Amino acid sequence: MLSNAVRPFDGACSRTTPRQQNPPSTRLKGRTVMKSQQASGRIGGGWSKRIVAGVSATVLALAMAACGDSDEGGESAAAPTLRFAIKENFAYLPIYVMIDEGILEKHIPGAKLEYIGVNSSVDAANGVVSGQVDATIAGTTSFLTAWANNVPWKIASGSSTAQIRLIAKKGRYASLKDIKPGDRIAYPSPGSIQEIVLAMAAKQQVGNAQAFKAQLQPLGEPDASNALRNDGVSLDFTQSPFSDKLLEDPGYEVVLDSKDVVGDTALGVFVLSDKFGKDDPSLRDKLTKAFAEALDLITKSPDKAAQVALNRKIGTSVDANKASIAANTYTTALGGAENLAAFMYQEGFIKREAKPSDFIDQTLAGTR
């Protein structure tokens, strides 16, 4: 049986504390490994300061060496510890399904689990740098930004793709060329895939990837939808289910579809720390295969996946969760990741050339 555990991460040594018990229908209980601090700054160009300087790998390594990195009872080769950075939302559903539906137990019997609560991919990257995170799901562009700043992790698999659409009130914009300097464009956050796809489209349509940079306004997706309705912004670059709800009103239309720019866009990727599995490389392959099986279950049994989400306090009902699951395609495919990486380097979003062989774990190519 899998064993779970959670202990808070505060930059120093911490001891085991009990994790809040899950609903009875959830099979596994655990403990928290890292309680993340609110991520300072924004995902994007400030990564090197936050991770390389702000979270000094040297200081953290010394702290880990002084405190010890083993669990209270020790760890044997027969019972490896897997440390997942997670958050309670649908992006991380494949990890919950992999654990709660017994898939991980099938592939890695007896593994001990540690959950690391994070607010963002920044937190997860900090956990990888500190040596306290083995695996997580990250936004594709956020992963690439961190990787370019020497965070030691690689993509093991795709996780989900989705259609991202730039929406405006009908009749205002035939293309990006109609956007005026004073028009505000809502998007989730700096460094998000929306920012990169918009830059790619701007390069194609108006010849300048940075053409709309000064007009971007970061807003949470529900707030962005409301802002568009109330003319607080002129356009909203968003994804399902928010785009679907806007387009139910015939007064709105799509100005730009991500599929026309970069095909099926990989919103999330499953990533592994470079350190994970060094003593037993087969663990990387087993974990990636378990993850792929979880994606398959979500696709084939959305009712079951929706219940797992609800048990993990994600969503409000099984039916609502099924709708959210249907808004994404959970797949190992890396849809557009290589093109995104090349563009980000060419346009200066990242300073390290992103060759697929460098940021995708080639040893796992047969499992994706």
Side-chain angles (χ1 to χ4, degrees):
M1 172 179 277
L2 293 173
S3 170
N4 295 282
V6 184
R7 52 190 169 90
F9 169 71
D10 57 7
C13 299
S14 55
R15 298 305 173 201
T16 302
T17 56
R19 182 180 186 271
Q20 183 177 358
Q21 184 168 325
N22 291 313
S25 57
T26 299
R27 297 176 183 171
L28 300 177
K29 305 177 182 67
R31 62 183 181 81
T32 304
V33 178
M34 178 175 84
K35 184 178 180 181
S36 67
Q37 303 298 319
Q38 183 67 34
S40 60
R42 293 172 175 173
I43 295 172
W47 269 90
S48 58
K49 291 182 180 179
R50 279 197 302 274
I51 295 175
V52 177
V55 184
S56 168
T58 301
V59 172
L60 284 167
L62 290 172
M64 293 300 292
C67 302
D69 191 27
S70 62
D71 201 7
E72 282 75 0
E75 180 180 334
S76 67
T81 297
L82 308 181
R83 301 167 299 179
F84 294 101
I86 55 173
K87 186 177 180 180
E88 291 180 347
N89 67 31
F90 284 99
Y92 295 84
L93 181 58
I95 290 177
Y96 291 121
V97 168
M98 180 171 62
I99 293 169
D100 292 357
E101 289 300 309
I103 297 170
L104 185 58
E105 168 70 9
K106 181 177 73 174
H107 287 270
I108 309 177
K112 299 176 183 178
L113 305 182
E114 293 182 348
Y115 300 137
I116 296 142
V118 297
N119 293 319
S120 67
S121 296
V122 174
D123 292 345
N126 287 336
V128 169
V129 169
S130 72
Q132 293 194 10
V133 170
D134 296 319
T136 190
I137 293 170
T140 307
T141 53
S142 299
F143 160 82
L144 288 166
T145 302
W147 173 84
N149 281 286
N150 299 312
V151 172
W153 59 2
K154 288 185 178 65
I155 294 175
S157 168
S159 180
S160 62
T161 67
Q163 191 174 17
I164 309 169
R165 292 174 284 193
L166 183 64
I167 297 174
K169 290 186 175 177
K170 185 167 285 187
R172 294 190 178 183
Y173 307 96
S175 71
L176 298 186
K177 294 179 180 180
D178 297 320
I179 298 176
K180 299 177 177 60
D183 295 340
R184 306 298 293 172
I185 305 169
Y187 76 129
S189 64
S192 65
I193 197 164
Q194 281 88 338
E195 179 181 13
I196 304 305
V197 171
L198 181 61
M200 294 175 79
K203 182 72 177 287
Q204 294 170 4
Q205 293 190 26
V206 302
N208 179 7
Q210 305 294 334
F212 306 112
K213 183 176 180 179
Q215 296 166 245
L216 295 173
Q217 182 170 335
L219 286 172
E221 287 174 314
D223 293 334
S225 296
N226 290 332
L228 182 62
R229 293 186 182 101
N230 298 318
D231 292 321
V233 296
S234 302
L235 304 102
D236 181 15
F237 206 1
T238 188
Q239 66 189 72
S240 297
F242 304 98
S243 57
D244 298 329
K245 290 178 181 178
L246 284 170
L247 294 171
E248 288 174 358
D249 185 331
Y252 295 90
E253 65 182 355
V254 175
V255 179
L256 177 72
D257 191 315
S258 64
K259 288 191 175 184
D260 296 330
V261 181
V262 72
D264 288 322
T265 309
L267 283 183
V269 289
F270 183 52
V271 299
L272 301 179
S273 166
D274 290 349
K275 299 175 184 177
F276 175 65
K278 279 205 168 182
D279 294 334
D280 182 2
S282 71
L283 285 175
R284 298 177 71 88
D285 186 65
K286 291 174 183 177
L287 180 55
T288 305
K289 286 179 178 176
F291 187 81
E293 188 172 331
L295 296 178
D296 190 57
L297 185 148
I298 295 171
T299 300
K300 294 179 178 178
S301 303
D303 287 348
K304 190 176 289 187
Q307 185 63 57
V308 168
L310 194 63
N311 291 345
R312 289 288 186 167
K313 303 186 184 304
I314 301 171
T316 57
S317 70
V318 169
D319 286 342
N321 286 355
K322 284 174 63 179
S324 295
I325 290 169
N328 295 280
T329 300
Y330 291 91
T331 173
T332 58
L334 289 175
E338 296 178 7
N339 291 336
L340 287 170
F343 177 82
M344 290 174 71
Y345 175 69
Q346 291 164 6
E347 296 297 328
F349 288 96
I350 57 177
K351 303 302 182 184
R352 180 182 177 189
E353 186 175 2
K355 298 178 181 178
S357 58
D358 292 333
F359 66 85
I360 298 172
D361 190 333
Q362 301 298 308
T363 67
L364 301 175
T367 67
R368 284 185 272 111

